[in-house]
Each structure stands twice: as C-alpha cells, then as structure tokens.
Amino acid sequence: MLNLDERIKLIEAEIKSFVESSTSTAAAEEFRLKFLSKKGAVSALFDEFRNAGPEEKKQYGKALNQLKQLAEAFYKEKSASEQNSAAIPAGQPDLSLPVPPDPTGNLHPLNLIKYRIIEIFEQLGFNVEDGPEVEDDWHNFSALNFPENHPAREMQDTFFVEKNPDILLRTHTSNVQIRLMEKQKPPVRSIMPGRVYRNEAISARAHCFFHQVEGLYVDKKVSFADLKQTLYHFARKMFGPDTKIRFRPSFFPFTEPSAEIDISCLICKGKGCNVCKHSGWVEIAGSGMVHPNVLKNSGVDPEQFTGFAFGMGIERITMLCFGVNDLRLFSENDVRFLRQFRSVF
Ligand code: PHE
C-alpha cells in the first residue's frame, strides 16, 4: 500500500492529466465528482488523514491542503470557461446580452425637445414623416409657390449643390409637405422634423444649419380655427398652462393667410427682457392655411380640400425651455454643456 505522501502525488498527477486531456463540455462536473465530491479522491485522502498519527499529520497536512486548493482552483477555472464557451468563442463579447445602461450619456438637448414636440403632436393624431435634406428646386421652392425672383433663391441665401438642374440643401422642412402630398391623398396629418440649411453668418442667434419641425394637416373643411387651437394646445403642453399665444399677420408664398406665432416670454413672463427684446413676446413658428397653388402642385384638389401648415425652430424652442442664450453651444459638442441636460424629462 502506498503511503499518504505517494498518494497525494498520485492524485495531483491525476488532477493535472484530467485537466489537460478533458475536452468534454461536462468536464467540470465530472471533475468535481471524481475529486472534490464527498466520495471523490481528495475527500478520501482527507478521511485517511483524519485517522493518521500525529507525525504523519505534521508531515502531510500542508501538501494535502495544497492539493485541495489546486483541485478547487481547477474546478473553478473549468466551470467558468465552460460557461463562457457555451456559445461564444473565447475572447469575443457576448452580443446577446442587453447593452448595459450608460450612466454617463444623455440625449442632446435638441433631441430632447424634438421628442417632446413629437409626443405632443402624436397625442393629437399626427404621425411623423421624413424627407430629403438634399433637395431639388421644385420641392424646396417652385412647388411651394416661391416666385422666380424670390430672395431665398439667391446664391447668398441657399447652398446650391448644383446649378441647372438646381439641387440644393433644403432651406426649410416645407419640402416634405410636397413630398408627402405627392405620395398620399388626404387626410394628411403629419409632423416632419429635420435639419435645414441657410447661408448665414454664424452668431449667437443664427447658424448655417438648424432644425425645424414642419406640421401639415390637410382634409375636408380644415380651418384657421383648427390651426389656432392646435398650436394653442401645443404651446400650453410644451411651455406650461399659463402660456399666452398670439398670431401675428405675416407672409409666406406657400400659405394664405399666413401668421407668425408668438408665445409670451418664458424668461420674464411677458414683462419685457433681453430675450424678448422687451416686447414680452417670442416668435416660435411660421404658419398659415396651405395656399391652393401648393395643393394643386402636389396633386390635391383645392376645391375639395383645405389645410394648415406650420414650421417651428427646434433651436429656438430649446433655448426658451432651458434658458440657453447662444445657438452655437448646440453644435460645439462640449460635454460640459451637454451633460447639463442629463436629468431633464
Ligand atoms: N418654412 C417656413 C420657414 O422656414 C415656416 C413655415 C412653415 C411657414 C409652414 C408657414 C407654414 O420660415
């Protein structure tokens, strides 16, 4: 019969060869049964050790404990690698796991406001539509009833990608009105958020690109009262129940009549301050009843249908909501600025 020392060495060799040669997927469990379970080889050595004389105990105690640790370490390693290798090759991330929430990121303030605007109009039954940022003259200008010599068609005002045929970066989201009516017969009730471009000198109040949300509602018997009530509802939801709204007569080639929409200044509550230029009012959108020529140009019969449209600036609304006083902050990607919107909404 081998003595304890020899048996410890033997079992150690067995453990090592088991680990080296095992390829089976259930190897960890097999290993546990063979060595670490109550009836396993390591446990058997411990039983024997308990009955050994004090001399032997002194001599082999340490080696036996080391053997147990070795076996446990192998077992741990084996079962961990089995779990990992069940489906995924070593060294590769498990793409089936949910993405951990990133506590350091948040939506851009313009997106926060865009989603809030969408939410409010969706509650009224508007859906969201999209259109191209690189547009042709017809959809950006001609179909919208812009006369030949309108200043917005000048090189100084619009970024032309090509001249003849005129391809340009859209100057507003109103192009999507046309594209939508071309593909869909009324009723149309949509909002169309997106980026627009104008050839402007960059300052605290203007940029060569910004964002708008266009709105269009075309159906039988849509009236100016519908426009007023819709935007009144929007303003109160967006800016609070005490917000006042006014419609100021204005002009756009594609709406008749047209109105600019002002809300009572959120900063001074209408008393007059720098933001509202001491008028107590801030403009947030252009609007009006869709011009019959625009309906005709998009294949909609103006005898049967009427509609209203509006276009609001997302930057302007975001600045009002959060008290931001410089438009350039939105595109500088400075995390010290962006991070401040982490816990809004
Ligand atoms: N497109 C106009 C602008 O960019 C806004 C507008 C949209 C006005 C729809 C009336 C109707 O200024």
Side-chain angles (χ1 to χ4, degrees), residues 236-249:
R236 284 192 305 189
K237 281 270 176 187
M238 188 78 213
F239 303 110
D242 299 332
T243 313
K244 293 198 189 69
I245 184 168
R246 75 175 183 188
F247 288 72
R248 221 168 358 94

Side-chain angles (χ1 to χ4, degrees), residues 171-174 177 198 212 214-215 252 254-255 259 285-288 309-312:
T171 57
H172 49 187
T173 40
S174 303
Q177 287 189 34
R198 289 184 196 173
Q212 291 187 328
E214 191 83 7
F252 298 100
F254 38 94
T255 47
S287 70
F310 59 84
M312 53 179 92

